[in-house]
Amino acid sequence: MSAIFDITHTTHYRYAQQVMLGEHWVQFRPRDSHDLRVLATDMQVTPAPVDIRMFQDAYSNSIAKIQPQSPANELKVVCMSSVEHTGTRAVNFPMSSRARQFPLAYGDEERLVLRHYLAPYYDDPGGILQDWANQFIRPDETTGTRELLVEMTQFIRDSMTYHVRLNPGVQTPYETLRLKSGACRDFATLMIEAVRRLGYAARFVSGYLYTPWLDTEDQQSHGNGSTHAWVQIYLPDAGWIPFDPTNNLIGGTDLIPVGVARHASLAKPLSGSWDGSPGDFLGMDVTVQVRKRG
């Protein structure tokens, strides 16, 4: 069954005095696919932009390139979307016989297309990440791909503590393992690096999470009130399957993707520049509302 979601994403930068605003890139439009249809989008920018140009980047993400009027003492970007989401299959997603057991066997063309998602982003000279990933392989019996990925997703959720981090950037996987805590982007980065070392193609996903506690007061999921991050892993005949180690979610309609990239630093919802004194910046507020219709 499909679900329709209305999303409002507001980012508000505040300055002590008028500053010169440079060009900004906004990544806000959910990604159309066979299981997600974008019904409507709108974007409101304050101050009114001098120019807006839409294009797709190298990852086929939709980008709005805006030049706000300057000088100004604020920049407010409100992005609104409505989507119909049928959701990918959850734990019972189908797989090719080439993918059912570890190690997975990609075809030559697949390896060519997926090479940037197969290559680890971080070096691992001490083998720390490799050792951590290897614990999900059953040495004395056949290891199923489905079981391996489900177990890793659940292990991160159960063994690590979620913390909201408002500062930009992402922890290295080594920091996340040492601290046993992080934000959603940190858990996604850890899982991506781990599965890549086991031979699975994985990419970082930024987007939105529908949290049912908005309607039920059952506050058990993490990521609402901001953008969310998770992992997609490519499996032959199944495609890009979503895994959310922050909330132990696999597939379904609760994850609404906006941007994908090989690393978190390449999937920012909003980036740009301004010209003024460092003390002029008063702060940034981000709010996200996701409402399910019906």
Side-chain angles (χ1 to χ4, degrees):
M1 292 180 62
S2 64
I4 296 178
F5 299 92
D6 296 316
I7 306 157
T8 302
H9 179 177
T10 303
T11 306
H12 190 192
Y13 294 93
R14 295 172 288 105
Y15 304 94
Q17 59 183 344
Q18 290 195 331
V19 300
M20 298 302 295
L21 297 172
E23 189 176 77
H24 283 69
W25 287 27
V26 185
Q27 189 176 119
F28 76 96
R29 191 182 193 276
R31 289 176 64 92
D32 286 286
S33 66
H34 65 281
D35 62 354
L36 191 148
R37 183 163 64 103
V38 179
L39 304 176
T41 62
D42 191 21
M43 183 172 62
Q44 299 172 358
V45 181
T46 305
V50 175
D51 182 57
I52 297 181
R53 183 167 66 87
M54 298 291 298
F55 70 98
Q56 284 190 316
D57 68 7
Y59 294 100
S60 296
N61 300 315
S62 289
I63 307 293
K65 196 174 183 180
I66 64 174
Q67 176 58 62
Q69 293 187 44
S70 291
N73 59 6
E74 69 170 342
L75 174 61
K76 186 175 184 179
V77 180
V78 182
C79 302
M80 293 158 285
S81 303
S82 294
V83 301
E84 182 180 16
H85 199 347
T86 59
T88 52
R89 291 190 186 181
V91 178
N92 64 340
F93 52 84
M95 282 189 295
S96 164
S97 58
R98 295 182 290 125
R100 289 176 191 154
Q101 296 179 359
F102 171 84
L104 178 149
Y106 289 119
D108 292 342
E109 184 66 20
E110 288 171 325
R111 296 194 69 84
L112 181 65
V113 173
L114 298 170
R115 64 187 184 276
H116 296 303
Y117 299 119
L118 284 163
Y121 189 85
Y122 296 90
D123 293 331
D124 189 25
I128 295 173
L129 284 175
Q130 187 69 62
D131 289 345
W132 188 86
N134 287 346
Q135 70 180 303
F136 301 98
I137 300 172
R138 297 176 172 86
D140 300 325
E141 56 184 290
T142 300
T143 300
T145 285
R146 190 191 319 272
E147 292 74 21
L148 185 157
L149 298 176
V150 168
E151 185 180 344
M152 186 182 295
T153 304
Q154 184 173 356
F155 185 87
I156 293 173
R157 164 65 188 261
D158 292 346
S159 66
M160 299 188 182
T161 303
Y162 172 81
H163 288 305
V164 175
R165 282 199 306 108
L166 300 179
N167 54 308
V170 63
Q171 292 177 176
T172 69
Y174 312 103
E175 290 176 295
T176 302
L177 288 176
R178 177 176 60 84
L179 297 170
K180 294 190 182 338
S181 67
C184 56
R185 61 189 183 273
D186 305 317
F187 295 154
T189 298
L190 169 62
M191 185 166 179
I192 288 169
E193 289 297 300
V195 299
R196 284 175 178 172
R197 281 175 169 76
L198 297 179
Y200 295 95
R203 64 188 184 185
F204 183 92
V205 188
S206 65
Y208 306 111
L209 170 71
Y210 170 68
T211 50
W213 66 261
L214 286 170
D215 305 316
T216 66
E217 300 300 325
D218 180 18
Q219 302 186 25
Q220 294 299 314
S221 51
H222 305 293
N224 184 68
S226 64
T227 54
H228 190 47
W230 60 96
V231 183
Q232 286 180 344
I233 298 173
Y234 186 82
L235 302 173
D237 289 353
W240 290 103
I241 302 297
F243 293 85
D244 178 8
T246 303
N247 295 299
N248 192 26
L249 293 175
I250 301 170
T253 61
D254 292 348
L255 299 171
I256 303 169
V258 172
V260 302
R262 65 188 181 94
H263 185 261
S265 62
L266 304 171
K268 297 177 182 177
L270 177 60
S271 60
S273 62
W274 59 278
D275 186 14
S277 301
D280 290 339
F281 183 64
L282 297 179
M284 176 187 70
D285 300 312
V286 178
T287 61
V288 174
Q289 291 184 331
V290 183
R291 292 288 188 267
K292 185 176 183 180
R293 286 194 226 167

